[in-house]
Amino acid sequence: MKAIIVDGEPGIGNLRLVDRPIPAPRRQEVVVRVRATALNYRDLEIVRGSYHTRFPLPLIPISDGVGEVVAIGEDVTRVAVGDRVCSTFWQRWVGGSFDMAEPSYQRGGPLDGLLAEYAALDEQAVVPAPADLTDLEAATLPCAGVTAWHALVTAGHLKAGDTVLVLGTGGVSIFALQFAVNAGAGVIVTSSSDEKIERAKALGATAGVNYRKRLHWGEAVLELTGGRGVDHILEVGGPESFAQSLKAVRRGGQISVIGYLGGTEGAINPLDIFRRQVTVRGIPVGSRASFEAMNRAIHTSKLRPVIDRCYPWTDIAQALRHLEEGSHFGKIVLRH
């Protein structure tokens, strides 16, 4: 089979197409023919060597993917040959608290990812792909979709009438927008682009703030909520934007810390969290149980993931550079 690996030293220029044997399924493993994959910021950081953890190389990158089961090992009971499945990010976190997740079993680093023609997966680490979604759409779910769902629903207990603030228009933020709208919540979106804000409104956002025009966008969010603040914030910007999030959240509200697209430098005064009695939690994607619950909601609501652009999977370097530019709206996907 063909696979793409990061070899030698990290770097987009060090991605290589190689030949490897098609994996044979071991006991309780399945082998899938990968049909589509999707990119996350974590994938970009691992490839270019800027992720907070360095993984042994060579490594097949990319955490998100969907494929068709073509072989099963002994004692496999959850799926059958011919099934279409998505891989989970945490290969051993089936459900329950984060204590059940094992750092050494993350797909796409340190475990080989899905940027290949075939992949061997533990049967406990796959879920049926939603039947209504295409392969490209289903490939977007394992990280971005589950992260947004875990933040708002599994951990955040989102309810109708709540107000959600999403930062930017990347994959996690757009999924959060869609889930919040389907739940009957109001959504405010921030972006550096008025055009993207209008696109977000077309998906159901009630308002938007251009943070290039309103540098203190937390104050703008307060104005939009009549001084109350929002109930939920998906914080993907990092320490620098966190100070604005603290201004935008209501007293007793929730901030889900997901990423650091704005950088890792900045100061946070914990007294601001105390004064506003804010619940702040880190969101490490989510469990298989969260994934399965999300898929049921996607099927019921007929939600369709938003795809920015599709590349052939062997054009991974070009796709990663597009992600690096930050101009995308929704998910960047690869067709295998």
Side-chain angles (χ1 to χ4, degrees), residues 103-320:
S104 59
Y105 285 88
Q106 298 172 79
R107 183 62 61 182
L111 294 181
D112 274 337
L114 297 167
L115 198 61
E117 293 180 313
Y118 295 88
L121 306 169
D122 191 296
E123 70 161 331
Q124 298 298 331
V126 297
V127 299
D132 297 336
L133 300 188
T134 66
D135 288 337
L136 296 177
E137 291 170 332
T140 68
L141 300 177
C143 285
V146 177
T147 296
W149 180 268
H150 188 73
L152 289 178
V153 181
T154 306
H157 304 292
L158 177 73
K159 61 184 184 298
D162 284 352
T163 304
V164 176
L165 174 65
V166 298
L167 307 187
T169 55
V172 173
S173 295
I174 294 299
F175 270 118
L177 188 164
Q178 292 176 293
F179 293 149
V181 169
N182 284 344
V187 181
I188 300 171
V189 60
T190 68
S191 175
S192 61
S193 162
D194 289 337
E195 178 194 1
K196 287 183 177 181
I197 289 174
E198 291 306 311
R199 292 179 67 185
K201 288 180 178 178
L203 291 173
T206 52
V209 178
N210 187 319
Y211 60 79
R212 297 291 187 200
K213 298 177 180 178
R214 292 290 301 268
L215 296 180
H216 300 290
W217 50 263
E219 295 174 0
V221 172
L222 282 179
E223 293 168 8
L224 289 169
T225 57
R228 179 178 182 270
V230 297
D231 299 284
H232 304 266
I233 298 179
L234 274 76
E235 175 53 72
V236 301
E240 187 172 346
S241 67
F242 193 88
Q244 292 299 312
S245 289
L246 280 173
K247 293 179 180 179
V249 70
R250 72 165 174 86
R251 294 181 65 185
Q254 304 179 49
I255 300 177
S256 295
V257 179
I258 293 164
Y260 43 88
L261 296 176
T264 58
E265 300 299 323
I268 298 170
N269 186 350
L271 289 179
D272 290 335
I273 299 172
F274 167 76
R275 293 186 187 106
R276 301 186 67 79
Q277 291 295 287
V278 177
T279 297
V280 179
R281 65 172 64 88
I283 298 297
V285 189
S287 67
R288 195 187 83 197
S290 284
F291 200 157
E292 291 166 335
M294 178 192 72
N295 282 353
R296 292 192 294 270
I298 287 173
H299 175 73
T300 301
S301 65
K302 306 300 181 185
L303 182 149
R304 308 304 292 257
V306 176
I307 293 175
D308 176 84
R309 193 174 299 179
C310 176
Y311 294 86
W313 73 281
T314 51
D315 288 349
I316 178 61
Q318 184 180 355
L320 285 171

Side-chain angles (χ1 to χ4, degrees), residues 13-60:
N14 291 328
L15 290 163
R16 291 201 302 115
L17 184 67
V18 297
D19 287 308
R20 287 197 173 177
I22 297 175
R26 298 178 296 182
R27 180 176 177 271
Q28 295 185 319
E29 276 190 345
V30 303
V31 172
V32 299
R33 173 68 171 92
V34 181
R35 298 299 184 189
T37 49
L39 302 186
N40 296 286
Y41 192 70
R42 178 181 187 268
D43 301 318
L44 172 62
E45 288 214 302
I46 288 172
V47 170
R48 68 187 183 187
S50 56
Y51 192 57
H52 57 73
T53 302
R54 287 289 187 98
F55 300 122
L57 301 179
L59 173 72
I60 299 175

Side-chain angles (χ1 to χ4, degrees), residues 39-121:
L39 302 186
N40 296 286
Y41 192 70
R42 178 181 187 268
D43 301 318
L44 172 62
E45 288 214 302
I46 288 172
V47 170
R48 68 187 183 187
S50 56
Y51 192 57
H52 57 73
T53 302
R54 287 289 187 98
F55 300 122
L57 301 179
L59 173 72
I60 299 175
I62 309 304
S63 300
D64 284 2
V66 64
E68 177 187 350
V69 177
V70 294
I72 61 174
E74 183 183 359
D75 296 332
V76 168
T77 59
R78 295 191 65 249
V79 296
V81 171
D83 288 352
R84 196 173 63 126
V85 297
C86 296
S87 174
T88 63
F89 173 69
W90 293 100
Q91 298 288 283
R92 294 192 175 183
W93 187 14
V94 173
S97 73
F98 184 60
D99 290 342
M100 303 302 293
E102 298 181 43
S104 59
Y105 285 88
Q106 298 172 79
R107 183 62 61 182
L111 294 181
D112 274 337
L114 297 167
L115 198 61
E117 293 180 313
Y118 295 88
L121 306 169

